[in-house]
Structures are given as structure tokens and as C-alpha cells.
Amino acid sequence: MPGVVMMENGFRDTLPTNHDSDYGQYVNGNANLAPQSTSDRQNGLLAGPSSGSNNGTDTMINGTGDTDGTNSAQPQRPGSNNASRMNDLPDEIQHITQGFVPLGFLLSRLAQKTHNQLGDEIMALAKMPAPAPAVNGNSAHVGAAIDDTSAENLNKKARLLNFVQEKHAEWVKAAVITRWSRNAQGVSKLIDLMNHINMQRKIYDDSLEYTINIKRDLTFARLPNPDLHTALHVLSTGTAPWMPDLNYIEPPPLSPKEQLQWIENLNTLLSIRLNLEDHENIPYHFRDYIIDSGRVTFTVPGEFEVDLTIADEDFDKQFWFIDFRFAFTPAPADLSDSLTMFLEARVNEALEKDGLHGCHKFLHEFVLTHKITEYVRQAVELARGLWVDTLKIERLNRAMAIQYWVGRFPPEGPKSWIILGVHSGKISSLPADSQSSSYLALRWFRDGKEVKDVKIPLNDASISTEDLLNRVIGRHVGYILDSIYTRLKSNGRFVNREAGLALDVRKDAPIQSTLKMQLGHTQYVTVGISPITGMFSMKPQSLMTWRGESKLNWQSKDPVQDGLGCLESVRCHYVVDEINRRGKSTGWTVCKGPVKTDGIKEILNTREMSQLMWLKRRGWTDQWHLMVTLSLSGDKWWLIEVSGGSDQETEISSFTKLPLSSCAPNLEDRFFSNLTIFTAAIISHIVDMRSLHKRQIKHVTHDGMNYSLPPSMKVPTIFVRLSDILNQQQPRGPGKRFAHWALDFVEIMFKGIRNPPSRPRILGRDQISGSVAGESAAPALGDQSLHTFLDARLKVSDPSRFGLLKRHVERDVAFSRRLGVFALRLEAKVGSSILDLLAQRLQAIDKLADCIDAIRRSGRDIQCEEITLTRVVVTYTDQIKPKGGAATQPHGSRWKATLELGADGIELLFERGNPQLRVLDHFQRLVNSDLRCQKLPFFLSSTLPIQRALDSVEDAWETFAMNDQGRVEILAAHLDWFNIHYYLPGPNRNPRAQRRLTLQVRLRDRRERVEWHVFREEPGAEKHPDDEFTQALNKVWNAEDKVWRSLVTSAASETDHRIGDLIKAVDEAVRRLAMQSPTILKHNQPRGQAQAKTQAQAVYHKAMASGKARPQTGQVVVLDD
């Protein structure tokens, strides 16, 4: 019922077009309504400004807009629903709202329709031809109001008038409806009452009809009145005289002998007739017969058995039907009476017309029809039972069609069915054959196409529709699985026998037909097809196989075409899931691809569809990734190195195909462990080769056996020139250094990896100081870097030169005396080159070799106490190395020196109290020069006596310096050059008039030997002044019983203890000038007990000159005033 909309007097706005429909809804000329949503306009609802909520909003339903407020003032019944009581009717009367359309919606559609049609009409009028004068422009009176009576103008006016009349009629109807809408509430009540009256009238009519039907049905349930009179007479007398009697004469009964004779005669007649008279007329299929009991039984195997007999001795008479039995199963054992009567009449008729041929033809066709009926019956039972909703059966004319796998595909998808019917057995190109007859023929349509090259056996002797369907479906399932198998087998993974694939087709048992494909190392997926539904099934059940089943069952239109991709997808998802699940425990994680797909196509160089999987090992740097390509041609593993940061597009800088077997790997922890080792080895090899090429170091690779890697994984060994590595850090220009102590090649071989420790390692002070320069400490907690171990080996030219080395030089360095080989264990992060560390180690070994070789060749008494790659501890004396292992008696204790072999050079360390500490800097320069340790043993041992003497000189002058009686300064210009400066006070102890003496002690060669030369050389013009110092020194140079060699104005001495005696003698002579006379006193001895000054001096000088007098322990030389 249209709703009520109040009309307003006044000018009406222009009706909107379709372009204005989104800006407002005009109803009855009111344009003050808010825009409506699309759903509201489609549902015919008119929403006002307050239509956003249902509470407190007056909604116009069925014309009850209540704009005047009358309806809102009516009282409401308590407990009743306001929406269902709008018309104030009893509960028994149903309020009708179905089919009502709001008046605003109706008027809006009418206005829109009128506007659109008006626009179309205007366009049509514009296209109509104009009158001829107007076209040619020959109008004589342009401004005259002359009526145009041309045909074109009349047509336009007529068309416009018809349009206006038609629209006027529509709007008049709308006006009438609008006027009636003011009484919408009463009309709605009338509609409800009319509907209620009609419902009550229908209930009355239905009740009356039901009563009439009951009365009509009781007519057939009425029983007739019983004939009590006849029943009483029959029960009393046993007769009914008023019943008619036909007066038949019964034949005399036959005796058993007569019956037997009659049967034998009948058998004889049948035998004579069939063997003599009708022998040529017997049909081919009736050749198998038996005569017995007065009848002949013709048997057609798999069809029927029929019993015939004769009723006359005349052989021209026909055979007569006696009995019929089916010769197939399942079939009824006994025929019904009606069927027997039907067969008897029809068979006798056929025997009368066509004889035995007609009988065979009729019964043969009858049996074929019955067989088809039996097939249909069993098919219907199957469709109601196990095969419900999967079969569609259609009975045709002496044929049937069974569509199987109904619902397997959508209605427009392919269909498969069989047609079982009767074939005439005749071949048009061949003449008729008496042996041929009609038979049951089966036609198979697979996916809408008839299959003619497949012979399906049809056992019509034992009818089973289920077996027939199984045989057909078995071949259909075999075709699908075999097609998928053929397409899979032609791919590389199965051609190269890298994966297992097996097909087992059971043509008569489709449920046992399977296709088995290898997924993993020991995992297989078995694909089967349900013969009932045609749905694919995959075992074992998992998420991947379930997705594969769903794809083949519900998304695929052709399983033969999509089966290959689906199975490969299942395998790929399985492999990805296994790698992701098992790899997490060993540090392998799946990551997002760092590069775009276009960059990968250049690497794969194939158009074959493949699935990519990106992996990353915990501890790798950001640029290294492992890519796995899964495809039918074989799985491939790639080691990818990318370049480019966050601001640049990443590109593949290098890629290496890992020589892993394409066979399905055993994805256990051992595989991922081996993969970690192998990839780390490959990365290390790539980085090292790149670094060697960049540094222009000559190298060569060799594919040898590496027992640190699995047998199936091989990484080439690198051979590098030793001289090139040693000269990388410190090039020497044209004259580069060559390590003559070793062969000029280093063998670098991968040995393994190490994961970072989970806890930080605490190093001691000695471990920190003793670590190789460039080697970092243990990784801090949280550092997940992966480290690689490489074994670098070099063979020495003369193993005897390293006889002082122990087997384990250091934790990561070992030396084999028997083989003469150094073995270095190098450790670096994955992705970092070990060349820097190798160069440091080799330089350290080179330094160590120089040091050990210098010690070994030295003729001095120096011994190695501790030898490592970074540290050499030696002890030495001032003696010459004894020959034949004889023991030496050193003049004093053995001193210890430590050589720290670092990357920046060699550092020499002396123990506290060592007299050679004064020349430590010179020793440092010596060991870090080109000579390295070549002269170190000589200077350590040969300069020890003079260093002791110089220490004693300094100790003797401490008291003089404290009393301002003089001082001494000892300066070491070099290890073989010392300057001794004496400063004595002048006359009357005048500090401004000091006396100065400068002595030089230099090591010189003499007759293939070296000796210390002590002489005086003053600075300035006068080198050798003639003063008191010269007189005192001459006495020393030319002393009696001296242990040194006099050179008139100087002296020379051996490098042993005699140089110390010479230095002490010179010092004593100088001290005599500073004091009147020296005196030797013991500690705690009184001054009065001292000997005479002149006598003590004479004895002391004589002893010093002979080299027999030395200060004893606990004695000092005291010089008094």
C-alpha cells in the first residue's frame, strides 16, 4: 500500500535527472530530504534527516507517516508490540505488509522514467527530417506566424502529443493513488480484514472437501451382504442343486507303465526329428540340447534353457513350449504364472511361424532385455546405497546409460558414462552369418569422448552392475594415474633415477590402483582415486596432501593436466616444510628472497617452473644466502652472494651451485650439520680466492681428498706462494724477502667450523698479552658469528734447523720434526678472509725461524727455555758454547731474555736487574732491523761482561756523586759502542773548573775475531790532551801482568770477563785522581783497622792489572779524603 505524503501548495522544483540522483531525493516536489544510500534506494526506503536510528523516529510504513501527529497520540495496549498493532486490529487478524511499495519510491521512479523518456523523445525529434523550406532557407515571411502543415512537422507534433498523453495518463494515475494514500490507514485495515475473511473461507472450503473425500473413500471399504441361504445349504447337505453341471467325461487314468512307454515313444520321436528331419534347421545356438522325459531341453550358455516337446507324430507340426529357465545369475528360480503364460503364448507363436529359429530369436532377445533390466535394477540399488549421489541412471529403449562420478565436476565440466545396449551383431561390409546374433554391447564415454581402443570384458553370465562399473572405472582410474605417471616419468628427476616413482594399476579393482611418488628420503605420497566418487586421495594424511587433494578435487578441471603440477606442489611444500621445521634446530631459517625474480632467471637459465626457497644460516653475514630450487628436473642448491644496501637495489654479485646430489636428501640433523660445514667451506674458499686475486698473489687449486668434509662434498685445496704472502704486509721494493728456511708454497685446506660459545670466555693477563696480534678475543655473549677453521701447512727445507722447537709450538701451531712441516690452525668468521691472519702467522713463524736459526748457529752460551709462535724465552751467559756438551762455569748467574714476536715487530724484554737494560732500545732496533735475530745471540752474550763492568762503575760512583766529589755518565751509542764521561771537581773543589775525561769503548774486528777497544777521545780540537788523566791511563794501558792488550795510548780486550777487568782498572785509576787513595773495607769494620793507604793501593793495582782481584760479596771500595 503506498504511503501517505502530504502535498504542499506552491511552485514545485524541477525534477532531477539521473545525474542528480546522488545529491538528493525529490518526492512530490519536496527537495529538502537528505541523500539516500544506494541500499536504501534499492529497498524502497525514504530516509529523512533523522533516519539514522530506530528509536524515537517516525518511519512511514504502509502510509502511516503520522505527519499530523494524530496516530502518535493514540493509546497503546500494555504488553503489545507497537509495530504489529499499527491498525489497531485483534491478534487473530494478520497485518499484511508483503508487496507494499512506498509512495515516494513509486513517484521517484515515475519521475525518473518520465525524465529519461522525455530526453529520448527530444533526441528522436531532433533526428527527424526538417521541412523543405526550412532546410533550403527559402521562407518568404520569416517573422509571420504561419502554421506549418508539412508532413514532417505534423509527424513531430503527433509524436509529441502521443508522448504527452501517455505520460499524462500515468501521472493522473499517480495523482489518484496519491489522493487515496491519504486514506491509507483505512485501506490497510480493509486489506487486513479482506485477507482474514478469505482465510476463513478457505478453511471452510478445505473442511468441506476433506469430508467429501472421506465419504468417497468409505465406499470401497463397504462389504457386500452375505448369502446366508446358499451358505447354510452347502454346509448342511454338501450340494447346490441350482448350480449348473457341464457333464465332462474324464479319460481313463494311465498306468505307470503306460506313462513310461508314452514318454519313451515321445523321446524317440524327438530324437528322430532332431537328428534326421530337422537337423539342418536347428539354430547354431541350439546345438547343445538334451532329450529326456518326453521333452528336449535347449541350452544357450549364459542366457537360458527352454523345454520343448511335440504333440503329433507328424514332423511338419510345430514344437510346443513346456518350461523356461534363465541360465545367468542373478535370475529368478521360478517364473510367475503371468510370465509363464506370456512366454508360452509368445514362444508357441514363434514356433508356429519360424520354428526353432523364431523360438531362439525371441527368447534370446527376451533374455537380453531382461539382462539390461537386471543391470538397471542393480544400478538403482547402488544409487540408493553405497553409490548414492554418484550415479545417474537413465533407461533407454532396450538400453541403459549410467553416468558415474556425478558431482565430481561442475555441471559444465566433463562427464563420463557408459551405455549398455543390444548390438545386432551384423556387419554392414560382411554377408549375414547364421552363427552371429545380437549381443550386449558396452560403450564407454570418458570425459565426454567415446573410448574405442579399450576392450572392457562384459560377463553377462554373472550380472553385476557394481563389477561392471568397477571394470570401467578401473580403466578410467588407470588412465588418469598412467597419464600422470607418464608425464612425471619424462622429467629429469625420474629419468635420472633421482626419485622413486611407481604405478600399480588394478583394472578390476580401482580402489587398489595407486601412484606412488617419493617426497623425501624415505617419505612417499600415495595417490589413489575413489571408484565411487572419483575423488583423489593422498596418503599419508597431512596438511600438504590435504591441499593437494583439495586442488585436484575442487579446483582442477582436468586432473591429467593438473596432476603433475599438483604432485610437484605437494612435494615442494613437503620439502619446504621439512627444511623449515628440521633446519630451525640446527640454525637454518627460511628468509625472504633478497633479489627479484628477474635476477634469478639468469642464474637458472631455464623456463621450467620451479619453486624457490631462501635459507640463511645463523652466524652468516647479510650478503650470503642459500637458495634451493625445487623443480621436476631436479633440486638444486645455490650459494648466493648479494650486494647493495638498503638504499640500493640488491643484486647478485656471485653464485655457486653446490655439488649436492639431486636425490632426496635425508633431512636430519646430520645433513644440516654437513650442509653448514660445506657452505662455510665454500664461502671461505670463494672469499680467499677473491682476496688472493685482488692482492695478485700467485696461487693454484687442487682437488684432493679432504677428510674433514663428508665424502660427497669436496672443496679444492689452495696452494699459495709463501714469498708473496710474506711481502704483502711489508713490501721491500725490488729486493723482496724470501723465506729460505721453507719451501715456497703454503697449502691451505678447510678443516671445520665452530659455533660461538654461549658464555663469554675470561682471559688472563698472560693470555691477553700472549694472543696473536689481529686475533680477537672470544666472542662476546650474543655474538652469533660462525667461525671456520682452515689448516695451513708449509714444509721447511731443513728440519734440523728447527730442532729446538717442541711438537706443539702453540695452541694453533704445531711442528712435526719427522716430516718437517708446520701446521697452522686458522680461525675466521664466515665471509672473512684468512689471508691477513695467515700472513701474520707466517711472519711470526718467519721471525721465529730466524730467531731459532740464529740461536742454533750462535757460538755463544745461549739456550731456549720456552718457544711459542709469539714468545721465545732464552737464557744466556757470557761464555762460549761448550763443545761436546761439556758443562760451563759461568761468571755469574744465567740471565733471561724474552722475545715477543708480534705483528708490528719483535719486542725484547729483560728481567729486572739485568745489566743490559741500558741498551734495551738498541736491542729493539736490532731485532726489528733487516738482521732480525741474526746478531742477537752474539750481542746478548758478548756484551754481558762489559755491561756488568759498567754497572759496577756506576755503583762505585754513587758515593762520590752524593759527596760532590765527581760523577760518571755512561752513554750507549750502539750495542758495540759505549761512551764513558767522568766529571771531577777542579782545584779547591771549584764546580766551574771541572776536570773532564771521555772514554770510548768500541767493538772492533781483529783477525776474524772481535775485541773491545778502549781509548780516550775528547770532544773538540784537542782529542788527546796530555794531562793527569793521560798519565793515569797510561799506567793502566801498560800495567804489569795485565790481561788486556796494550796499544800504547789505548787498550784492547777480549769480549769475556777481561773487558770487565779493563773497565774496572780504568775506573780505579780515575777514582784515584778524585781521591788520594782507595781503601777496601769490609762492612761493619772500624776505620782504625784499615791498612796503610799506599800499601793498599799498590796491592790493589797489582791485583787489578793481573786480573786476579775482584770485589767480593759484602765488600765495597771506600776512598777516604
Side-chain angles (χ1 to χ4, degrees), residues 581-604:
R581 183 170 55 88
R582 295 179 178 268
K584 284 184 179 179
S585 60
T586 55
W588 289 92
T589 56
V590 179
C591 62
K592 183 181 179 181
V595 295
K596 295 181 179 179
T597 309
D598 297 338
I600 303 174
K601 292 181 180 179
E602 299 178 359
I603 300 176
L604 301 180

Short mmCIF file of all heavy atoms in Angstrom, two decimals, residues 581-604:
data_model
loop_
_atom_site.label_atom_id
_atom_site.label_comp_id
_atom_site.label_asym_id
_atom_site.label_seq_id
_atom_site.Cartn_x
_atom_site.Cartn_y
_atom_site.Cartn_z
N ARG A 581 61.22 -26.93 9.22
CA ARG A 581 60.99 -27.50 10.55
C ARG A 581 62.26 -28.10 11.13
O ARG A 581 62.58 -27.88 12.30
CB ARG A 581 59.90 -28.56 10.45
CG ARG A 581 59.51 -29.20 11.77
CD ARG A 581 58.27 -30.05 11.60
NE ARG A 581 58.44 -31.03 10.57
CZ ARG A 581 58.96 -32.25 10.80
NH1 ARG A 581 59.34 -32.61 12.02
NH2 ARG A 581 59.08 -33.12 9.81
N ARG A 582 62.98 -28.85 10.33
CA ARG A 582 64.17 -29.52 10.84
C ARG A 582 65.38 -28.59 10.86
O ARG A 582 66.31 -28.80 11.63
CB ARG A 582 64.49 -30.76 10.00
CG ARG A 582 63.43 -31.85 10.11
CD ARG A 582 63.79 -33.03 9.23
NE ARG A 582 62.84 -34.12 9.34
CZ ARG A 582 62.96 -35.13 10.19
NH1 ARG A 582 64.01 -35.18 10.99
NH2 ARG A 582 62.06 -36.09 10.24
N GLY A 583 65.38 -27.58 9.97
CA GLY A 583 66.54 -26.71 9.92
C GLY A 583 66.61 -25.72 11.07
O GLY A 583 67.69 -25.21 11.38
N LYS A 584 65.49 -25.41 11.69
CA LYS A 584 65.49 -24.44 12.78
C LYS A 584 66.36 -24.90 13.93
O LYS A 584 67.05 -24.10 14.56
CB LYS A 584 64.06 -24.18 13.25
CG LYS A 584 63.25 -23.30 12.32
CD LYS A 584 61.87 -23.01 12.90
CE LYS A 584 61.07 -22.09 11.97
NZ LYS A 584 59.72 -21.82 12.52
N SER A 585 66.32 -26.19 14.23
CA SER A 585 67.08 -26.70 15.37
C SER A 585 68.57 -26.66 15.12
O SER A 585 69.36 -26.74 16.07
CB SER A 585 66.65 -28.13 15.70
OG SER A 585 66.87 -28.98 14.59
N THR A 586 68.99 -26.55 13.87
CA THR A 586 70.42 -26.52 13.55
C THR A 586 70.87 -25.15 13.07
O THR A 586 71.97 -25.02 12.53
CB THR A 586 70.74 -27.58 12.48
OG1 THR A 586 69.90 -27.36 11.34
CG2 THR A 586 70.50 -28.97 13.02
N GLY A 587 70.03 -24.14 13.22
CA GLY A 587 70.45 -22.78 12.90
C GLY A 587 70.06 -22.30 11.52
O GLY A 587 70.42 -21.18 11.15
N TRP A 588 69.34 -23.11 10.74
CA TRP A 588 68.93 -22.70 9.40
C TRP A 588 67.51 -22.16 9.47
O TRP A 588 66.61 -22.82 10.00
CB TRP A 588 68.98 -23.88 8.43
CG TRP A 588 70.37 -24.30 8.10
CD1 TRP A 588 71.10 -25.26 8.74
CD2 TRP A 588 71.21 -23.80 7.06
NE1 TRP A 588 72.34 -25.39 8.17
CE2 TRP A 588 72.44 -24.49 7.12
CE3 TRP A 588 71.05 -22.82 6.09
CZ2 TRP A 588 73.48 -24.24 6.25
CZ3 TRP A 588 72.09 -22.57 5.23
CH2 TRP A 588 73.29 -23.27 5.31
N THR A 589 67.30 -20.98 8.93
CA THR A 589 65.99 -20.34 8.95
C THR A 589 65.62 -19.92 7.54
O THR A 589 66.48 -19.57 6.73
CB THR A 589 65.97 -19.12 9.87
OG1 THR A 589 67.00 -18.21 9.46
CG2 THR A 589 66.19 -19.53 11.32
N VAL A 590 64.32 -19.96 7.27
CA VAL A 590 63.81 -19.51 5.98
C VAL A 590 63.68 -18.00 6.01
O VAL A 590 63.17 -17.43 6.98
CB VAL A 590 62.45 -20.18 5.68
CG1 VAL A 590 61.90 -19.70 4.35
CG2 VAL A 590 62.59 -21.69 5.68
N CYS A 591 64.13 -17.35 4.96
CA CYS A 591 64.10 -15.90 4.91
C CYS A 591 63.49 -15.46 3.58
O CYS A 591 63.25 -16.27 2.69
CB CYS A 591 65.52 -15.31 5.06
SG CYS A 591 66.66 -15.80 3.74
N LYS A 592 63.24 -14.18 3.49
CA LYS A 592 62.67 -13.59 2.28
C LYS A 592 63.75 -13.45 1.23
O LYS A 592 64.91 -13.21 1.54
CB LYS A 592 62.06 -12.23 2.62
CG LYS A 592 61.36 -11.56 1.45
CD LYS A 592 60.80 -10.21 1.86
CE LYS A 592 60.13 -9.52 0.70
NZ LYS A 592 59.60 -8.18 1.09
N GLY A 593 63.35 -13.63 -0.02
CA GLY A 593 64.31 -13.52 -1.10
C GLY A 593 64.92 -12.13 -1.18
O GLY A 593 64.20 -11.13 -1.23
N PRO A 594 66.25 -12.01 -1.21
CA PRO A 594 66.87 -10.68 -1.23
C PRO A 594 66.83 -10.01 -2.58
O PRO A 594 67.04 -8.80 -2.67
CB PRO A 594 68.31 -10.97 -0.80
CG PRO A 594 68.56 -12.37 -1.27
CD PRO A 594 67.24 -13.09 -1.17
N VAL A 595 66.62 -10.76 -3.66
CA VAL A 595 66.64 -10.18 -5.00
C VAL A 595 65.32 -10.49 -5.69
O VAL A 595 64.55 -11.36 -5.25
CB VAL A 595 67.82 -10.73 -5.83
CG1 VAL A 595 69.13 -10.30 -5.23
CG2 VAL A 595 67.75 -12.24 -5.92
N LYS A 596 65.08 -9.81 -6.80
CA LYS A 596 63.87 -10.02 -7.56
C LYS A 596 63.99 -11.29 -8.40
O LYS A 596 65.07 -11.83 -8.61
CB LYS A 596 63.59 -8.81 -8.45
CG LYS A 596 63.31 -7.52 -7.68
CD LYS A 596 63.01 -6.38 -8.63
CE LYS A 596 62.70 -5.10 -7.86
NZ LYS A 596 62.42 -3.96 -8.77
N THR A 597 62.85 -11.72 -8.90
CA THR A 597 62.81 -12.97 -9.66
C THR A 597 63.55 -12.84 -10.99
O THR A 597 64.14 -13.81 -11.47
CB THR A 597 61.36 -13.37 -9.91
OG1 THR A 597 60.64 -13.34 -8.67
CG2 THR A 597 61.28 -14.78 -10.48
N ASP A 598 63.57 -11.63 -11.57
CA ASP A 598 64.26 -11.47 -12.85
C ASP A 598 65.74 -11.74 -12.73
O ASP A 598 66.37 -12.26 -13.67
CB ASP A 598 64.02 -10.05 -13.38
CG ASP A 598 62.54 -9.78 -13.67
OD1 ASP A 598 61.81 -10.78 -13.86
OD2 ASP A 598 62.13 -8.61 -13.67
N GLY A 599 66.32 -11.38 -11.61
CA GLY A 599 67.74 -11.64 -11.44
C GLY A 599 68.07 -13.11 -11.26
O GLY A 599 69.18 -13.55 -11.56
N ILE A 600 67.09 -13.88 -10.82
CA ILE A 600 67.33 -15.32 -10.61
C ILE A 600 67.20 -16.08 -11.91
O ILE A 600 67.83 -17.12 -12.09
CB ILE A 600 66.35 -15.84 -9.54
CG1 ILE A 600 66.52 -15.04 -8.25
CG2 ILE A 600 66.55 -17.32 -9.28
CD1 ILE A 600 65.52 -15.36 -7.20
N LYS A 601 66.38 -15.59 -12.83
CA LYS A 601 66.20 -16.29 -14.09
C LYS A 601 67.50 -16.43 -14.85
O LYS A 601 67.73 -17.42 -15.55
CB LYS A 601 65.16 -15.56 -14.93
CG LYS A 601 63.74 -15.63 -14.36
CD LYS A 601 62.75 -14.91 -15.26
CE LYS A 601 61.34 -14.98 -14.70
NZ LYS A 601 60.37 -14.26 -15.56
N GLU A 602 68.36 -15.42 -14.75
CA GLU A 602 69.65 -15.51 -15.44
C GLU A 602 70.51 -16.62 -14.88
O GLU A 602 71.31 -17.22 -15.59
CB GLU A 602 70.37 -14.16 -15.33
CG GLU A 602 69.60 -13.00 -15.96
CD GLU A 602 70.33 -11.69 -15.78
OE1 GLU A 602 71.41 -11.72 -15.16
OE2 GLU A 602 69.84 -10.65 -16.27
N ILE A 603 70.36 -16.91 -13.60
CA ILE A 603 71.15 -17.97 -12.99
C ILE A 603 70.61 -19.34 -13.39
O ILE A 603 71.35 -20.24 -13.80
CB ILE A 603 71.15 -17.82 -11.45
CG1 ILE A 603 71.76 -16.48 -11.07
CG2 ILE A 603 71.90 -18.96 -10.80
CD1 ILE A 603 71.72 -16.20 -9.59
N LEU A 604 69.30 -19.50 -13.29
CA LEU A 604 68.70 -20.80 -13.58
C LEU A 604 68.79 -21.13 -15.05
O LEU A 604 68.98 -22.29 -15.43
CB LEU A 604 67.25 -20.81 -13.10
CG LEU A 604 67.03 -20.53 -11.60
CD1 LEU A 604 65.56 -20.58 -11.27
CD2 LEU A 604 67.80 -21.54 -10.75
#
